[in-house]
Amino acid sequence: MNSKLAADLEYVRTIAEAGEDAPPIAGRFATLWFLLVTAALLAHWALAKGFFAGADERWAGAVWMTMGISGGIGSFILGKTASDLPGQSAPVNRVDRSTWRVASFGLFAFAISIVVAVSVRPELSVDLFDAIMPAAFLVYGISYAATAAFSKDRAKWLPVIVSVAFACLTIGMFGLSDAYLVAAAGTILCWLTGGARQLINEPKSVV
């Protein structure tokens, strides 16, 4: 009886550990958002540099609104495609879904608030848009930290370090148009150290 009980307990422990170390299924969502954010940052940088004749930096509001709406639609579609992936109820994936959902909504609301403020208050400088970058990197760091806390793989803390570093860097470049180019590079680096690994290690769909 004791040996069977011990075997049962070992089995339960193994299942629990497997759930804890289940591969994240957020890779496709991270890839979508990092692509959209990188594109928005590059477009904002081009506007700030005056690369588009007849369009100044105040058009950046339309860029960020388009990015947010596209991300929401894309996330909805990806959510349908990821519904059959295994590990949905694993703790790491439940936390992942919650943190990134709140992060996405929070950043979208933050950006929209800045768009509205700059639009209705002419005395505000378009430099206020620069606050989106450090806020976004801090949100990335917190979201990736929540995932890394469930894993024994120390490499999963790399995107956290990168995110915090670029949050500080973009604050230091506040008011400089090239801050958007640097932020685009930082976003790509965050994806390479985080989202790309999640996408590669994503579990196969349940058949």
Side-chain angles (χ1 to χ4, degrees):
M1 178 65 71
N2 287 339
S3 62
K4 184 167 189 313
L5 178 60
D8 289 343
L9 290 174
E10 179 64 21
Y11 174 75
V12 171
R13 184 182 68 82
T14 301
I15 294 298
E17 289 180 350
E20 179 180 318
D21 295 329
I25 58 176
R28 60 184 68 188
F29 297 95
T31 299
L32 168 68
W33 280 101
F34 281 127
L35 283 174
L36 288 173
V37 170
T38 300
L41 287 167
L42 291 175
H44 194 143
W45 172 71
L47 286 170
K49 284 291 190 179
F51 291 161
F52 301 117
D56 60 19
E57 198 171 357
R58 288 190 177 272
W59 281 88
V63 170
W64 288 105
M65 286 182 66
T66 301
M67 185 275 293
I69 294 171
S70 300
I73 295 172
S75 293
F76 176 78
I77 295 172
L78 288 180
K80 298 296 184 181
T81 66
S83 60
D84 62 344
L85 293 179
Q88 299 278 346
S89 60
V92 63
N93 286 319
R94 293 205 306 270
V95 169
D96 226 18
R97 281 195 298 272
S98 296
T99 53
W100 282 107
R101 187 178 294 120
V102 173
S104 299
F105 177 79
L107 281 176
F108 179 66
F110 185 73
I112 291 299
S113 298
I114 290 179
V115 170
V116 173
V118 172
S119 299
V120 302
R121 296 181 57 188
E123 76 276 11
L124 290 179
S125 168
V126 292
D127 287 347
L128 190 59
F129 283 113
D130 294 359
I132 296 174
M133 293 179 288
F137 281 118
L138 284 176
V139 166
Y140 296 163
I142 293 171
S143 298
Y144 274 121
T147 303
F150 279 90
S151 176
K152 298 175 183 177
D153 183 5
R154 293 185 178 180
K156 290 189 176 180
W157 288 96
L158 282 176
V160 179
I161 296 171
V162 171
S163 298
V164 174
F166 273 89
C168 297
L169 183 58
T170 50
I171 288 177
M173 297 184 70
F174 200 91
L176 301 177
S177 57
D178 285 337
Y180 290 91
L181 185 60
V182 171
T187 302
I188 294 172
L189 190 55
C190 283
W191 180 78
L192 289 174
T193 56
R197 296 185 65 203
Q198 290 179 340
L199 188 61
I200 292 172
N201 296 322
E202 186 178 84
K204 301 298 182 182
S205 297
V206 176
V207 179

